[in-house]
Amino acid sequence: MRWIGALLLVTAVAAGDEFDDAALDGPDPATWIVRRGMDRLDGKDGATPRSRHAVGLALQWLAAHQDAYGRFDCDGFMKHDPEDDRWGGAGDAAYDVGVTGLALLAFLGNGHSFRGSEADDVHVKTVEKAVRFLLRAQAKDGRLGGDGRAAVYEHAIAEAALAEAYGAVRHPHVRAAAQRALDALAAARDPGRGWRYAAGSGECDTSVTAWCVHALHVGRLSGLTVDEEAFAGALAWVELMTDPGTGRTGYNTVGGPSWWHPETGDRGGPWSWPGGEERFEAMAAAGYCIRLFAGEDPRRSKPMKAAAKVFAEARPAWRPGDAVLDPYAWFWTSTALRRQGGTPWRKWNDALHEALIASQHPRGSGSRTGSWEPVGPWARECGRLGTTALLALSLATWRLP
């Protein structure tokens, strides 16, 4: 394989250096999949021909909307479409690094890496370019994504993608960048607890903390050095936010709801269920995943058993304008229930497939083919790109580490 000479990259790791074939002698993607145990899940944990087809279409759409130098342009992706076939769905321009990380996770999570994929090599260049972009986006202190309002969100998602990329192919530049990003993540934590939007804010919330713990978890799986104290701090935060009576974990109040965007008019409250009962499933699932990644055993952990009863009752449905349509909640619930398994996972997975496969733009939809409409609480930030990447991940959680 010859790397594209036109895509020279100056990285914070080694200015002027490029990827080179000789440095790509790590394990092939299939070896990485076996080491993570994903080979034992394939075909037994919710994957179907229809869901695989849907994920494949989503990846094709994402690849077609990647910039030449690797970025997934959150607000300007439609420049890749014909002028007479351009659709809306712009996200926030400030989140290109985070959305690129999400898209890269979607490709890596389906076996695509620098050296090819399990089935073919159609997305090799897509993955390579995305990694190059993230390397170039890294600051000297290891941060990814700049100093925006959601800086730690972006950093954690991009770091997880870099760590996953390093796990698939042992490239020294990627290792150095991912390790520096992990070190920066450790420095951003509120001592003894978790994370919030900005480093050193002295505040925490369950949502940001979940992404950060996920990044640490992937880093540890990839053989990088992680801050083990951070897992204990995240657990302390989740314990503080969990209502022992209901098993619900709050965003930043005990057992409370997710945080609602103040500018989103159709998001006036938490998930509503028949009978008027309100449930806050996104953070219950995120809290469950924090405990799981930090090493708690779901078979023995009383808080995890209680939380599982909470989000196992959820059923995704594609109803625009309804608070139940929350791709972010669907991602964490899918990630959690896949690990719980059993009947709750099967029921959730069947409903998720029905909702997402029916709502994805099918072949013949022009430039929208393979994407999902940007809907739900965070459509304004993520746009069509972020929404499509997140939902592709939700359909493919049998492949997540």
Side-chain angles (χ1 to χ4, degrees):
M1 182 185 303
R2 305 303 304 173
W3 299 114
I4 304 172
L7 293 175
L8 300 181
L9 176 63
V10 178
T11 73
V13 180
D17 285 348
E18 298 178 71
F19 290 121
D20 61 277
D21 290 340
L24 296 174
D25 292 332
D28 63 30
T31 301
W32 174 234
I33 288 163
V34 170
R35 190 164 76 81
R36 294 196 315 183
M38 292 191 301
D39 61 315
R40 294 189 297 274
L41 297 173
D42 206 18
K44 302 176 183 179
D45 211 39
T48 67
R50 293 180 68 216
S51 69
R52 292 179 185 280
H53 176 74
V55 172
L57 275 184
L59 295 184
Q60 289 176 24
W61 185 87
L62 288 169
H65 291 84
Q66 184 187 36
D67 290 351
Y69 62 96
R71 176 184 67 169
F72 287 89
D73 190 347
C74 194
D75 67 315
F77 64 87
M78 64 286 294
K79 63 178 174 285
H80 297 286
D81 298 327
E83 290 188 5
D84 61 351
D85 188 23
R86 290 183 177 174
W87 298 87
D92 193 316
Y95 301 140
D96 285 349
V97 169
V99 167
T100 298
L102 274 180
L104 180 55
L105 282 170
F107 286 101
L108 292 167
N110 280 276
H112 299 283
S113 81
F114 298 174
R115 298 182 63 188
S117 69
E118 298 162 276
D120 53 49
D121 64 356
V122 66
H123 293 308
V124 171
K125 293 178 182 179
T126 301
V127 171
E128 179 210 344
K129 290 188 294 183
V131 172
R132 288 177 181 270
F133 172 76
L134 292 181
L135 291 177
R136 184 167 55 186
Q138 188 172 44
K140 291 182 178 180
D141 62 2
R143 289 177 302 150
L144 296 157
D147 298 313
R149 180 178 178 277
V152 177
Y153 262 123
E154 283 207 284
H155 179 90
I157 293 169
E159 157 55 25
L162 281 181
E164 180 80 349
Y166 172 67
V169 177
R170 295 293 205 246
H171 195 289
H173 289 182
V174 181
R175 177 186 176 88
Q179 186 61 63
R180 292 170 70 242
L182 277 174
D183 295 342
L185 191 64
R189 186 170 64 93
D190 183 35
R193 301 197 302 171
W195 292 262
R196 193 148 162 76
Y197 297 145
S201 66
E203 298 179 328
C204 299
D205 72 64
T206 301
S207 181
V208 177
T209 298
W211 280 110
C212 292
V213 173
H214 173 253
L216 292 173
H217 171 67
V218 177
R220 187 164 58 183
L221 281 176
S222 299
L224 299 168
T225 302
V226 302
D227 177 14
E228 295 296 337
E229 291 184 3
F231 289 105
L235 279 176
W237 171 256
V238 171
E239 291 286 357
L240 184 64
M241 291 294 103
T242 300
D243 182 339
T246 65
R248 290 189 172 87
T249 300
Y251 173 76
N252 59 4
T253 58
V254 178
S258 300
W259 183 78
W260 300 120
H261 197 301
E263 299 179 1
T264 305
D266 64 350
R267 198 183 182 207
W271 289 22
S272 299
W273 298 89
E277 186 177 3
E278 294 179 339
R279 304 219 172 154
F280 315 123
E281 314 301 355
M283 293 302 97
Y288 181 101
C289 289
I290 290 172
R291 293 178 183 276
L292 184 73
F293 296 149
E296 282 197 30
D297 186 343
R299 297 168 297 180
R300 299 180 180 180
S301 170
K302 290 183 179 179
M304 293 180 78
K305 290 180 179 179
K309 291 180 180 179
V310 170
F311 56 71
E313 297 177 14
R315 292 292 181 274
W318 193 273
R319 297 197 295 266
D322 193 318
V324 74
L325 207 176
D326 188 343
Y328 187 67
W330 294 1
F331 168 77
W332 284 118
T333 305
S334 294
T335 303
L337 281 176
R338 193 272 271 172
R339 287 154 179 80
Q340 182 190 5
T343 299
W345 161 245
R346 289 193 295 273
K347 289 183 176 180
W348 167 271
N349 197 50
D350 288 347
L352 185 73
H353 284 194
E354 180 180 350
L356 295 188
I357 293 172
S359 57
Q360 184 184 38
H361 289 292
R363 292 194 184 279
S365 300
S367 65
R368 293 184 296 176
T369 297
S371 71
W372 282 274
E373 289 299 308
V375 293
W378 303 106
R380 182 173 304 183
E381 282 78 14
C382 292
R384 189 181 297 274
L385 261 173
T387 299
T388 297
L390 194 61
L391 292 178
L393 277 171
S394 298
L395 273 177
T397 48
W398 67 86
R399 307 304 304 279
L400 289 175

